[in-house]
Amino acid sequence: MRRMMKAGFLFLGILFVLTACGGGGGGSTTTTTVALTSSKDIAVNDNTDAIVLTATVSPTVSSGTITFTVYSGIGTLSSSTGTISNGVASVQLISNTVGQVAVYATYGTTRSPLKTVNFAARTVSLASSSPAAEVSNSVTLTGTVSPTVTSGTMRFSVVSGNGTVNGLNAADVSIDANGQATATLTSGVAGTVAVKATYLASSVDSPTLSIPFANSSNPVILPTVSKTHIPTAADPLRVVASLLPTSVTLPAGTLISMNVVGGAGVIAVEGGTYGTSATPPILASGTYAGKAYVYLKSSDGATTGDVTVTSTYGTYPTTSAVVSFLPETGTSTKSVSLTASALTKIAGRYVTDIRFNIVNNASAPAACYYKTITTPLSLTLISQQNEANLHVVSLFTLSSAG
């Protein structure tokens, strides 16, 4: 009994020591961190368009200063220090040089990770809903300001040819929150109409865009594609050249000259060798009767960027279609089945296609499958393998929607 009491006292003594020492561990410490964020990731290199840099100290401090330092690149800070309020301090960054600028913030001896932002020249791009149109029909013009602005005015102007924009020779349109404005181009006579878009706040013009308007006496060979964005690893995309207006025909076997420029893509006729040019024939029957087509694919399975495919016949105006080759943007591993409902957006853009390999028991991949999602929330891909196998799925953002 005496031994048991001694053991009990010994246990209580050890417990007391452990309790007094915080359970046997060291005392707790608080680590100070500094986070650095920016109001936007890109601005114009005009020494006016400013990026607000905000440093946040954690745990929150009520006073003091934070030092801001340009680590690399060419940029000017509104101040090298910012006064802390509720743990936060801010300064502005501007630049007159195109390129990246890396900045960090320091509180005491604690330094934030680098924050990199970009400065770029103001540009305006102009696109059309179709590379050509029939007389008295219309195309939609879209002007886009980069870096993005959220307000302002875009002026669409007819540079040459017989056409009107929103019924006028020049029309001013408000820019939306995405930095874009749209207008309608029409022409009552056959011929090419050249247009441009101007961002009035900076007096920056887009490159001139030429749109042929066709009738039965002045037809156009028009290339079209089912997708304007495809991954570099995608199966070849069919580019179809057809006549506009559709009432005009060419004899079967007539060769259409098609070319691709841009470096990221190559074309070929059915069963032909891929290169930068091809001469597909007008077909006599089948789905593409009265039309010609080539296949477009990545030049090397890796190079990204825009390519332009043109189609030409005789004295008909040359028209073109633009296709962008995109890299993979993410991967996801699922088992048994895959639904698109949880995977409809990556980096803010809708996923419209899924390419996937079946991996048998995590060994070598089998054939590559490629599936278009016509309704992003409804597609379900059911496994043909047993439930023990895995499915490795590569996803691509192929639509600019959303």
Side-chain angles (χ1 to χ4, degrees):
M1 183 67 178
R2 183 174 296 176
R3 290 180 180 177
M4 291 179 63
M5 292 179 65
K6 287 182 178 180
F9 287 130
L10 179 61
F11 172 76
L12 290 174
I14 294 173
L15 180 62
F16 173 78
V17 171
L18 290 174
T19 302
C21 295
S28 61
T29 59
T30 301
T31 301
T32 299
T33 62
V34 179
L36 183 59
T37 60
S38 63
S39 59
K40 52 189 175 183
D41 291 328
I42 186 169
V44 181
N45 63 317
D46 59 0
N47 265 346
T48 300
D49 191 14
I51 296 175
V52 178
L53 299 170
T54 300
T56 303
V57 180
S58 182
T60 301
V61 294
S62 59
S63 61
T65 59
I66 294 176
T67 301
F68 295 83
T69 305
V70 174
Y71 176 79
S72 64
I74 300 175
T76 301
L77 295 166
S78 58
S79 175
S80 60
T81 60
T83 301
I84 295 174
S85 175
N86 295 322
V88 175
S90 297
V91 297
Q92 294 185 341
L93 175 69
I94 58 175
S95 180
N96 63 357
T97 305
V98 172
Q100 290 186 333
V101 179
V103 186
Y104 64 88
T106 306
Y107 174 69
T109 59
T110 303
R111 174 174 148 176
S112 73
L114 286 175
K115 176 63 181 177
T116 301
V117 294
N118 292 277
F119 287 90
R122 176 75 75 198
T123 61
V124 178
S125 62
L126 181 59
S128 171
S129 58
S130 174
E134 291 189 47
V135 168
S136 298
N137 286 347
S138 63
V139 297
T140 299
L141 302 173
T142 301
T144 304
V145 181
S146 181
T148 301
V149 297
T150 57
S151 62
T153 303
M154 186 85 72
R155 175 169 293 168
F156 296 89
S157 306
V158 174
V159 177
S160 63
N162 295 304
T164 59
V165 181
N166 291 354
L168 304 169
N169 187 62
D172 291 349
V173 180
S174 296
I175 295 170
D176 64 20
N178 297 314
Q180 295 184 322
T182 60
T184 301
L185 174 66
T186 57
S187 179
V189 298
T192 298
V193 180
V195 290
K196 69 176 182 178
T198 305
Y199 174 51
L200 295 185
S202 300
S203 298
V204 177
D205 293 337
S206 72
T208 299
L209 180 66
S210 295
I211 307 295
F213 284 83
N215 60 18
S216 57
S217 301
N218 300 273
V220 171
I221 295 286
L222 180 66
T224 56
V225 291
S226 59
K227 299 182 180 71
T228 57
H229 297 77
I230 61 174
T232 55
D235 292 336
L237 176 70
R238 197 191 310 262
V239 183
V240 180
S242 56
L243 286 156
L244 191 70
T246 56
S247 58
V248 178
T249 59
L250 288 174
T254 301
L255 297 179
I256 306 300
S257 177
M258 301 186 73
N259 296 273
V260 59
V261 295
V266 286
I267 58 174
V269 298
E270 187 83 46
T273 302
Y274 281 90
T276 57
S277 62
T279 52
I282 296 290
L283 301 178
S285 60
T287 303
Y288 300 99
K291 303 175 183 179
Y293 67 82
V294 294
Y295 288 107
L296 169 69
K297 71 172 186 176
S298 170
S299 57
D300 58 9
T303 302
T304 59
D306 294 346
V307 298
T308 301
V309 182
T310 61
S311 60
T312 306
Y313 173 73
T315 58
Y316 294 4
T318 297
T319 56
S320 61
V322 177
V323 176
S324 298
F325 283 95
L326 302 179
E328 295 188 21
T329 58
T331 60
S332 178
T333 300
K334 303 292 179 180
S335 63
V336 186
S337 64
L338 173 69
T339 64
S341 60
L343 303 168
T344 53
K345 277 192 175 184
I346 294 178
R349 299 178 66 187
Y350 282 113
V351 176
T352 60
D353 294 78
I354 293 180
R355 179 175 62 85
F356 61 102
N357 289 333
I358 302 298
V359 180
N360 298 323
N361 297 319
S363 60
C368 178
Y369 296 81
Y370 190 79
K371 178 66 178 177
T372 296
I373 306 175
T374 55
T375 305
L377 293 178
S378 68
L379 176 68
T380 300
L381 300 176
I382 303 299
S383 166
Q384 294 182 356
Q385 306 295 321
N386 63 54
E387 294 187 0
N389 294 335
L390 297 177
H391 305 257
V392 178
V393 181
S394 296
L395 303 175
F396 305 88
T397 51
L398 301 179
S399 171
S400 59

